[in-house]
Amino acid sequence: MKLFATFICAGLLAVGSVCAQQQGVTQCGTPTGQVPYPLQSYQELPDPSAPSPEKWAAVKQPSVSWVTTDVRYAKHEVPAVKTQNTISLEGWRGEKLHAQAVVWTGVDLAKLNYTIGSFKNAKGDVLPASAFGGGFVRYVMTDELNKDGRGACGLRPDHTIYDSLLVADPIDHLLADMPMKAMSTQAIWVNCQVPQLAVPGVYKGTVTVKDGDKVLSTLNMNIKVLHRVLPSPSEWAYHLDLWQNPYAVARYYQVPVWSQEHLDAMRPMMKLLANAGQKIITATIMHKPWNAQTGSETGDYFETMVTWMKKADGTWAFDYTVFDKWVEFMMSVGIDKQINCYSMVPWRLSFQYYDQATNTLKEVQTAPGDAVYAEMWGAMLTSFSKHLREKGWFDICTIAMDERPMDVMQKTLAVIRKADPAFKVSLAGNFHKEIESELYDYCISIGQSFPDDVRARRAAEKKPTTYYTSCAEAFPNTFIFSAPAEAAWMSYYSAKDHLDGYLRWAYNSWPREPLLDSRYSAWAGGDTYLVYPGARSSIRFEKLIEGAQAHEKVTILRREFQEKGNKAGLKKIEKILSAFNLKDFPQVPAEKTVNKACKALNAL
């Protein structure tokens, strides 16, 4: 850990350490006794901002209050809130609801903890204890948008030019209790997964916050369960595509890649993803499809899941052992609707294979349109098609590319169609009307749009049609410093445009120590991941689920109103969604639009 601190003091990115300017001198430190890659308990990095004794002077005893889930409460600041002892939530049966409480104290607390009481309605019906979860909201180091305010793309090798901020984001369900220092703030996140069979009505219960056995406050929570039912996430029409990185898990958990230990480490985290409505398995069929996008600092390159071998006689052979293991594993956690295979057009046009004649790994530089490219990919796709059909996966598999120009895509499509005309193809990138009809799964960047006739035809053909955000967008986004409601806002925006869902490139492409420091040498903190080791959720991920649920509600209501000829209801939906406009950022906060729309949808 001392080595990390040395790096960051030299002006380079270091993870597991923090630098702060104090009286003109850069000071670096690491959490005392912190071990690399913590899984259970861990110590957060020091807060670069010190608490103000003057502001904390009035806080004599610990205070507790319900607060909005749309604010990240700073660790060093006295929360600017009016104490609220009762909170009311409402949602459909089957919906996941969340609330946030905050504790702030002027004295040390030894064992902050909380318990969730029983929830009953007036008739004695109960919400089971298993419906509730959550955890302590922990703090992680992050940075900010680019100085021009236009986004967060580009190299960031010197983090001293960006503000270092300790921000609330990880939700730590693994801690039963935790200490609190005087003059500090700590949030608690509470989830309720309303059972689909719950009896509609208002359920009342409590959340008791304690220091050891001493009760600090008993908070009241009312949950109004509405009559409508949200299907299980596996049954949602919502098309969620968050790209998984299994190699980051192997590195962080320090286990051999594709070992049983590796699969065991991934299972709870991928189950968390399945419960968010994820439909797609991210598979890689060649070496480093995104070059050094994630591996330059961590070593977590996306390696190939297919072994390429050029035999001594010049023919090609392919081994799918790892690909099969990965797909079967993901299907076992419930993610089984689609397999996106990256990429025939990597960011660096170099393709690695094992050469049997020389017993060495070799690379060939080639591109779509080249004879060599057509020969090697033709052989691979012909073999791959046969294998997929044997496994029964061909119909759910796509050959996937991202952010590739149209002329390159046209040349690539020609190779695919020659190998097997029935292959499905997906693209995340710009809209190209010339190739749209050939793409099964088409995802364009936010701010672009599908022509109405194209979108309607694709819907009739049951072709997934979505949009994505990246480091390019300042607002809305899922950076760790983004307003939490922005993660929900994006799915409402997708519903407004009658799209099927949302794509974000990184579910868990972790920096070196993601629980401590989200900063990366390229892109802003949080661009590379949404969840944390230990299958810890985050404020961003919970809000993303909130938006996905809202999108599914819109889909259900539209279908119901159309079937019943309820034109007035359909107009109400469109009026609710009309408030979601990109041009309103950042003047109109995401939470204002989201909360109003959420309430209106529940009233339909």
Side-chain angles (χ1 to χ4, degrees), residues 240-310:
L240 179 63
D241 186 5
L242 305 179
W243 296 0
Q244 313 99 48
N245 187 343
Y247 305 98
V249 179
R251 184 265 305 173
Y252 191 91
Y253 281 72
Q254 297 291 284
V255 295
V257 66
W258 305 124
S259 65
Q260 187 59 49
E261 293 84 356
H262 183 202
L263 300 180
D264 291 343
M266 289 192 291
R267 187 170 298 278
M269 188 171 65
M270 297 308 170
K271 186 63 176 175
L272 191 69
L273 180 59
N275 289 339
Q278 176 74 11
K279 298 294 186 294
I280 300 170
I281 302 168
T282 307
T284 47
I285 56 175
M286 53 81 63
H287 179 63
K288 295 183 183 178
W290 297 284
N291 197 21
Q293 181 171 1
T294 58
S296 57
E297 294 164 9
T298 64
D300 302 333
Y301 300 104
F302 283 82
E303 301 289 354
T304 182
M305 296 175 182
V306 177
T307 301
W308 294 53
M309 181 175 71
K310 193 168 190 178

Side-chain angles (χ1 to χ4, degrees), residues 557-558 561-562 566-575:
L557 291 170
R558 278 175 171 158
F561 293 166
Q562 286 169 353
N566 185 349
K567 295 182 180 179
L570 290 171
K571 287 182 179 180
K572 287 180 180 179
I573 292 175
E574 301 314 312
K575 183 178 180 179

Side-chain angles (χ1 to χ4, degrees), residues 374-405:
E375 184 269 332
M376 64 186 298
W377 274 105
M380 191 279 171
L381 291 174
T382 301
S383 169
F384 196 36
S385 170
K386 182 176 182 292
H387 180 74
L388 291 170
R389 292 178 187 278
E390 290 172 350
K391 298 292 292 187
W393 299 338
F394 185 85
D395 290 340
I396 64 169
C397 188
T398 80
I399 305 302
M401 274 73 69
D402 71 298
E403 297 182 337
R404 302 297 86 182

